[in-house]
Amino acid sequence: MNAPHEVSLVADDARRSALLAGLAKILPDAALLWKPEDTVPYECDGLAAYRQVPMAVALPDNEDQVCAILRLCHSLQVPVVPRGAGTSLSGGAMPIATGLVLSLAKFKRIVSVDVRSRTAVVQPGVRNLAISEAAAQYNLYYAPDPSSQIACTIGGNVSENSGGVHCLKYGLTVHNVLRVRAVTMEGDVVEFGSEAPDAPGLDLLAAVIGSEGMLAVVTEVSVKLIPKPQLAQVIMASFDDVAKGGNAVADVIGAGIIPAGLEMMDKPATAAVEEFVRAGYDLDAAAILLCESDGTPEEVAEEVERMSEVLRASGASRIQVSQSEPERLRFWSGRKNAFPAAGRISPDYYCMDGTIPRKHIGTLLKRIEEMERKYGLRCMNVFHAGDGNMHPLILFDGADQDEWHRAELFGSDILESCVELGGTVTGEHGVGVEKLNSMCVQFSAQERDLFFGVKAAFDPARLLNPDKAIPTLARCAEYGRMHVKRGLLPHPDLPRF
Amino acid sequence: MNAPHEVSLVADDARRSALLAGLAKILPDAALLWKPEDTVPYECDGLAAYRQVPMAVALPDNEDQVCAILRLCHSLQVPVVPRGAGTSLSGGAMPIATGLVLSLAKFKRIVSVDVRSRTAVVQPGVRNLAISEAAAQYNLYYAPDPSSQIACTIGGNVSENSGGVHCLKYGLTVHNVLRVRAVTMEGDVVEFGSEAPDAPGLDLLAAVIGSEGMLAVVTEVSVKLIPKPQLAQVIMASFDDVAKGGNAVADVIGAGIIPAGLEMMDKPATAAVEEFVRAGYDLDAAAILLCESDGTPEEVAEEVERMSEVLRASGASRIQVSQSEPERLRFWSGRKNAFPAAGRISPDYYCMDGTIPRKHIGTLLKRIEEMERKYGLRCMNVFHAGDGNMHPLILFDGADQDEWHRAELFGSDILESCVELGGTVTGEHGVGVEKLNSMCVQFSAQERDLFFGVKAAFDPARLLNPDKAIPTLARCAEYGRMHVKRGLLPHPDLPRF
């Protein structure tokens, strides 16, 4: 079956004219971009290695416009890629050459904050951090906090089911969103979930959350707000060996403690970060753990003491506890700026997103050390240790074809190890275009069929963000052949710089 | 379109023979029931007003048998109704005359309890309470606790997304289940969710939870276990007016307290219950609230004090706090036995399951008092007040046609009030066969289409628990005509005794 966007260029020209003419009736001039100089900035998201200039970009500012745009595209069979802030790390918002990018950037209104029910209703273009800022006056906040929270928007968070350093204790986006209002590819407004505890009917809220823009275009989101803890303190624990630090993570959780955050960075990561943001990290340590506790002052004091005991027993060589809110934020600022820091010390970096059972963190880190020698490339490790969600950053120079090839093999090797240790090849960054092949390994043909079936229920014409997130049968068959031939997980679609 | 089970009786006879012959090859004799005296006990679930003897009942004890049975039924186009303990209150497990009942009663194994990850893997026929009993030695428990928890099974809980008195603080089934393994109508084994924080692919776990057996047959469930609180105490607060009690509920939540349980019973309910279980309720009160606090002794002491203050300010005439674990359990035993108690004082009762925003509880209770006079029938009110999930029990004698008719109008009137006050016509008991018409009011045609689309992705032949939970377009059209004609919410399918 050919996807509708794989038609000939002749037809495309006619469709392009019809599309632009139709959009001009729906949107004011300033909200419709079609000249190359205007559309080029939309050619990629945070995974810059995949680039494609779209036919046009629409910037509606109300739901009626979204409905009209989708109806128009549906009638013209034009594929649509919804876009939030474009911070996706897996190419989820990568445009299609013959398609429209539908930006929700103008949906910036915080519709309401209800203190009694501890909820907020927001438009999809509201930045993640802006929700907590609006709720701060009531001493409430929105818990999921991706590292990109200054820039990323709640619509994108919903599409990718974003996490963050606090999701170990407070959950992912799916645990903090109560209701989503959205428009289907055919232009119908639908709602999923409710602010009541249990709505009748099939619960499709979770299916829409994390669906990477394939099911419907989000136009409004109701989120949970939670009371700001009276106090939060973060422990910085140093280890003289990465495996010891990794094992300490399992020890903390195994002791029955669920820290508000539990992150790990190795020496290459702290060194790169420290130069950049002066977070106050222990630069002598082979690895540091950041362990946050929040609650009442009594609860925090007790938990910090218990965690410190466990960390010492696990071999921490030094323990430092933040003594003020500015110091706590400084400790976190390093973690949150680790990716940009990698960009400062290497021409290119390739960020992996595997998950493994916590008990194997030490093992994987040791293996990565060996791989660094094997491939002659450096790797920074920064990750959500509490969740076992690893972000090895392989540093390389994309201009050097050989380095690039070695980086590719290095990445494949890490992912193979994740799977072998009982984990998955992607945690929180989404599948997008980047990890389509890995999905062939993760899911059976029957399970992938169910995904396509649900996709078809929402979008039978396959026009909404098509060819993302779920690999076709043909692709998986091809991948299976390659896998057998090469004897390792290949990445034929890996970024080419 | 005719559903496959609406074919002629002649064809049914041939299919019946083929089905029984095929099942005899899959199951031992004792696991296959087909004689009327054996199949009659399966004619209904907890909504006894709807009865239908099935063609046969299969009792497999392993997943291979489930796959084989479903493949057989799929090839013969025999509809299948999965069944747990049969405690559903909405007819979700009501058989089909030309269909098979697939009982999971023999799937009773607790596969594992993992203390480090605080999870348990259980088969669907394990009773809700049995999970907590198995985890008790590790000081852990499974939080959702429907009133039927002694009898109901986790497979049924998953199918209905069951709640319970503690779900205000600890969530519904959907918040406490990590992974479901299931078999599709075509006999394929599929898994949803994972024990890791976020699995790639569409998140269909929540869609399967609460799908009332329409998507797949559950064969294994991974649940979260949580640490047993060190202490729990329950406040019994008396009110001399039901509306005051109702308003106190909103006041407690509005004060920023999330009690472990927050339930309300009115005088007719406490009177019926007290005679039956001697829970120690204040029989002079017009209504009582049960407000539970759990946590460390310090946390409980502080919360009990804060809740008591709010309750007094809201007009509580008397406040009593449980002073021992047996006393706490005694207070709850009355609430958990309220439905059987109703059965003792009235030949029949009709249990409603509407939800309303908490702030309107007092208003609805006042309206119900007026309706009692209008319809000349008594009504007991017992409900999950914290969630705004009301369970008015209309007492009547089904042998008296006029009483039955008045009960029907009374019920419709309550549901209309729920909708008018911004609520829903069903909270936690499921749609089943009972509330199909109400679904026409709750969801748009587009939303119902999406439900059918997802159903079709799992079960294109519409053989798995067909005609439950989602009303067809034709049914809703018919319902719309009746609604206009009668000027109120009718219940053409209401139980006939």
Side-chain angles (χ1 to χ4, degrees):
Chain A
M1 184 178 75
N2 273 337
H5 49 281
E6 285 167 4
V7 295
S8 75
L9 280 175
V10 182
D12 285 345
D13 272 353
R15 276 200 301 176
R16 182 171 183 276
S17 306
L19 176 71
L20 294 179
L23 289 173
K25 287 182 198 151
I26 299 166
L27 297 167
D29 281 358
L32 173 58
L33 312 178
W34 54 273
K35 293 180 198 154
E37 63 266 34
D38 294 329
T39 52
V40 162
Y42 292 86
E43 68 178 350
C44 67
D45 58 21
L47 185 68
Y50 292 78
R51 293 169 194 268
Q52 179 62 64
V53 178
M55 198 149 69
V57 178
L59 291 137
D61 65 7
N62 64 62
E63 192 178 75
D64 287 345
Q65 289 176 349
V66 172
C67 294
I69 291 167
L70 289 169
R71 267 186 228 115
L72 174 71
C73 290
H74 186 257
S75 72
L76 296 173
Q77 297 278 291
V78 170
V80 173
V81 176
R83 182 184 168 104
T87 54
S88 163
L89 294 170
S90 56
M94 194 187 70
I96 291 165
T98 57
L100 177 75
V101 165
L102 178 57
S103 165
L104 280 304
K106 292 189 175 177
F107 279 71
K108 282 201 269 202
R109 206 155 53 85
I110 293 178
V111 179
S112 63
V113 175
D114 184 332
V115 179
R116 266 201 124 172
S117 69
R118 287 186 189 163
T119 56
V121 177
V122 299
Q123 292 190 326
V126 172
R127 289 176 307 109
N128 173 296
L129 194 60
I131 303 174
S132 293
E133 286 167 356
Q137 59 184 308
Y138 311 110
N139 219 29
L140 298 170
Y141 77 112
Y142 175 67
D145 57 343
S147 296
S148 56
Q149 70 179 141
I150 295 175
C152 68
T153 56
I154 188 72
N157 290 179
V158 165
S159 295
E160 299 291 335
N161 191 19
S162 304
V165 298
H166 288 89
C167 71
L168 175 62
K169 182 166 176 181
Y170 295 107
L172 301 162
T173 302
V174 71
H175 305 112
N176 289 277
V177 163
L178 298 167
R179 184 189 66 99
V180 164
R181 186 175 164 98
V183 184
T184 64
M185 189 63 215
E186 295 176 23
D188 296 319
V189 175
V190 287
E191 295 209 5
F192 305 101
S194 99
E195 287 166 37
D198 184 22
L202 287 179
D203 183 351
L204 300 181
L205 179 64
V208 168
I209 295 173
S211 64
E212 307 197 16
M214 291 188 310
L215 301 187
V217 177
V218 175
T219 54
E220 196 175 273
V221 184
S222 296
V223 301
K224 272 191 220 174
L225 301 174
I226 60 173
K228 276 205 260 189
Q230 289 176 37
L231 181 68
Q233 279 187 299
V234 62
I235 300 172
M236 178 170 70
S238 307
F239 292 85
D240 58 12
D241 175 272
V242 289
K244 268 192 211 167
N247 294 334
V249 171
D251 294 339
V252 168
I253 306 284
I257 303 167
I258 302 289
L262 183 48
E263 300 283 311
M264 185 163 171
M265 298 170 76
D266 67 5
K267 194 169 187 168
T270 53
V273 155
E274 196 57 25
E275 227 174 76
F276 181 30
V277 295
R278 314 257 170 240
Y281 292 156
D282 177 359
L283 296 178
D284 297 327
I288 61 164
L289 283 186
L290 296 173
C291 316
E292 182 152 293
S293 174
D294 65 11
T296 63
E298 297 76 20
E299 285 165 351
V300 172
E302 195 204 329
E303 194 170 83
V304 164
E305 197 185 306
R306 282 180 63 212
M307 277 204 283
S308 302
E309 268 169 42
V310 175
L311 291 166
R312 260 184 231 107
S314 305
S317 55
R318 190 181 146 198
I319 282 180
Q320 193 182 338
V321 182
S322 66
Q323 294 302 319
S324 67
E325 188 60 10
E327 189 175 31
R328 185 183 76 88
L329 295 175
R330 193 154 52 81
F331 282 178
W332 280 120
S333 73
R335 168 62 188 86
K336 295 212 172 187
N337 285 294
F339 287 17
R344 291 178 79 246
I345 61 162
S346 174
D348 298 294
Y349 66 89
Y350 184 41
C351 172
M352 314 304 289
D353 176 44
T355 65
I356 50 168
R358 277 186 294 260
K359 59 187 171 192
H360 293 313
I361 292 175
T363 309
L364 184 67
L365 290 173
K366 278 292 170 204
R367 288 196 194 173
I368 290 176
E369 276 189 356
E370 290 159 21
M371 292 178 203
E372 288 189 272
R373 287 188 290 275
K374 180 173 168 191
Y375 296 106
L377 291 172
R378 287 178 303 155
C379 183
M380 274 172 57
N381 284 293
V382 176
F383 52 95
H384 306 305
D387 297 327
N389 185 194
M390 318 287 284
H391 294 322
L393 298 168
I394 301 169
L395 308 179
F396 70 105
D397 180 354
D400 180 333
Q401 277 296 313
D402 186 61
E403 278 212 3
W404 166 237
H405 181 63
R406 279 180 281 135
E408 183 181 19
L409 294 177
F410 194 163
S412 298
D413 223 350
I414 292 175
L415 291 185
E416 270 202 40
S417 276
C418 288
V419 174
E420 194 196 314
L421 293 169
T424 73
V425 289
T426 171
E428 61 177 7
H429 292 174
V431 174
V433 290
E434 187 203 11
K435 289 164 210 129
L436 278 168
N437 287 340
S438 308
M439 292 290 284
C440 305
V441 180
Q442 202 89 57
F443 293 101
S444 70
Q446 286 81 10
E447 286 161 343
R448 282 182 274 115
D449 269 358
L450 285 180
F451 293 159
F452 275 123
V454 173
K455 164 77 171 155
F458 282 79
D459 174 24
R462 290 184 60 226
L463 290 168
L464 196 56
N465 216 11
D467 301 334
K468 308 273 170 77
I470 318 172
T472 59
L473 190 64
R475 185 180 185 121
C476 286
E478 173 62 18
Y479 180 66
R481 275 192 297 276
M482 293 173 58
H483 187 84
V484 170
K485 202 171 68 190
R486 297 180 46 182
L488 56 82
L489 288 178
H491 272 254
D493 292 324
L494 216 67
R496 300 279 167 189
F497 289 80
Chain B
M1 185 178 74
N2 273 337
H5 48 280
E6 287 168 3
V7 295
S8 75
L9 281 175
V10 180
D12 285 344
D13 271 352
R15 276 200 301 177
R16 183 171 183 276
S17 307
L19 176 71
L20 294 179
L23 289 173
K25 287 183 199 151
I26 300 167
L27 297 167
D29 282 358
L32 175 57
L33 312 178
W34 53 273
K35 292 179 198 154
E37 63 267 34
D38 295 329
T39 52
V40 162
Y42 292 87
E43 68 178 349
C44 68
D45 58 21
L47 185 67
Y50 291 78
R51 292 169 194 269
Q52 178 62 63
V53 179
M55 197 149 68
V57 179
L59 292 137
D61 65 7
N62 64 63
E63 191 177 75
D64 287 345
Q65 289 176 347
V66 172
C67 293
I69 291 167
L70 288 169
R71 267 187 227 113
L72 174 72
C73 290
H74 185 257
S75 72
L76 296 173
Q77 298 277 293
V78 170
V80 173
V81 176
R83 182 185 168 104
T87 54
S88 162
L89 294 171
S90 56
M94 194 188 69
I96 291 165
T98 58
L100 177 75
V101 166
L102 178 57
S103 166
L104 280 305
K106 291 189 174 178
F107 279 70
K108 283 202 269 205
R109 205 154 54 84
I110 292 177
V111 180
S112 63
V113 175
D114 184 333
V115 179
R116 266 202 121 174
S117 68
R118 289 185 188 161
T119 55
V121 178
V122 298
Q123 291 191 325
V126 171
R127 289 177 306 109
N128 172 296
L129 194 60
I131 303 174
S132 293
E133 285 166 357
Q137 59 185 306
Y138 311 109
N139 218 28
L140 298 170
Y141 77 111
Y142 175 66
D145 56 343
S147 295
S148 56
Q149 70 179 141
I150 296 175
C152 68
T153 57
I154 188 71
N157 291 180
V158 165
S159 295
E160 300 291 334
N161 190 20
S162 304
V165 298
H166 289 88
C167 72
L168 175 63
K169 183 167 176 181
Y170 296 107
L172 300 161
T173 302
V174 72
H175 305 112
N176 290 277
V177 163
L178 297 167
R179 185 189 65 99
V180 163
R181 186 175 162 98
V183 184
T184 65
M185 189 64 216
E186 293 175 25
D188 295 319
V189 175
V190 286
E191 294 209 4
F192 304 101
S194 102
E195 287 166 37
D198 184 23
L202 287 178
D203 184 350
L204 300 181
L205 180 63
V208 168
I209 295 173
S211 65
E212 308 197 14
M214 291 190 309
L215 301 187
V217 177
V218 176
T219 53
E220 196 174 273
V221 184
S222 296
V223 301
K224 271 190 219 172
L225 300 174
I226 59 173
K228 277 204 259 188
Q230 290 176 36
L231 180 69
Q233 279 187 299
V234 61
I235 301 173
M236 179 170 71
S238 307
F239 292 86
D240 58 14
D241 175 271
V242 289
K244 269 192 210 168
N247 294 334
V249 171
D251 294 339
V252 168
I253 306 285
I257 304 167
I258 303 288
L262 183 48
E263 299 282 310
M264 185 164 172
M265 299 170 75
D266 67 5
K267 193 169 190 169
T270 52
V273 155
E274 197 58 26
E275 226 174 74
F276 181 31
V277 295
R278 314 254 169 242
Y281 291 157
D282 177 358
L283 296 179
D284 297 325
I288 63 164
L289 281 186
L290 296 173
C291 317
E292 183 152 292
S293 175
D294 65 10
T296 63
E298 298 75 20
E299 285 166 351
V300 172
E302 195 204 328
E303 194 169 84
V304 164
E305 196 185 307
R306 282 180 63 211
M307 277 203 283
S308 301
E309 268 169 40
V310 175
L311 291 167
R312 259 183 231 108
S314 305
S317 55
R318 189 179 146 199
I319 282 180
Q320 193 181 339
V321 182
S322 67
Q323 294 303 318
S324 68
E325 188 61 9
E327 189 175 31
R328 185 183 76 89
L329 295 175
R330 192 156 52 80
F331 282 178
W332 281 119
S333 73
R335 168 62 187 87
K336 295 210 172 190
N337 285 294
F339 287 16
R344 290 177 80 246
I345 61 162
S346 173
D348 297 295
Y349 66 89
Y350 184 42
C351 171
M352 315 305 288
D353 177 42
T355 66
I356 49 168
R358 279 186 293 260
K359 60 186 171 191
H360 294 312
I361 292 175
T363 309
L364 184 67
L365 290 174
K366 278 291 171 204
R367 287 196 193 173
I368 291 176
E369 276 189 357
E370 289 159 23
M371 292 178 204
E372 287 188 273
R373 287 189 289 275
K374 179 173 169 190
Y375 296 106
L377 292 171
R378 285 178 305 154
C379 182
M380 273 173 58
N381 282 294
V382 176
F383 53 95
H384 306 306
D387 297 326
N389 185 194
M390 318 286 286
H391 293 321
L393 299 169
I394 301 169
L395 309 180
F396 69 104
D397 180 355
D400 179 333
Q401 278 297 315
D402 186 60
E403 277 213 5
W404 166 236
H405 181 62
R406 280 182 280 136
E408 183 181 18
L409 295 177
F410 194 163
S412 300
D413 221 351
I414 292 175
L415 290 185
E416 270 202 41
S417 276
C418 288
V419 174
E420 193 197 313
L421 294 170
T424 73
V425 288
T426 171
E428 62 178 6
H429 292 173
V431 174
V433 290
E434 187 202 11
K435 288 165 210 128
L436 277 168
N437 287 340
S438 308
M439 292 290 282
C440 305
V441 180
Q442 202 87 57
F443 293 101
S444 70
Q446 285 82 9
E447 286 161 343
R448 282 181 274 116
D449 269 358
L450 285 180
F451 293 159
F452 275 122
V454 172
K455 164 77 171 156
F458 283 79
D459 174 24
R462 290 185 60 224
L463 290 167
L464 196 56
N465 216 11
D467 302 335
K468 308 271 171 79
I470 319 171
T472 58
L473 191 64
R475 185 181 184 120
C476 286
E478 171 64 18
Y479 181 65
R481 275 193 296 277
M482 292 173 59
H483 189 84
V484 170
K485 202 170 69 191
R486 294 181 48 183
L488 55 83
L489 289 177
H491 270 256
D493 292 324
L494 216 68
R496 300 277 167 190
F497 289 80

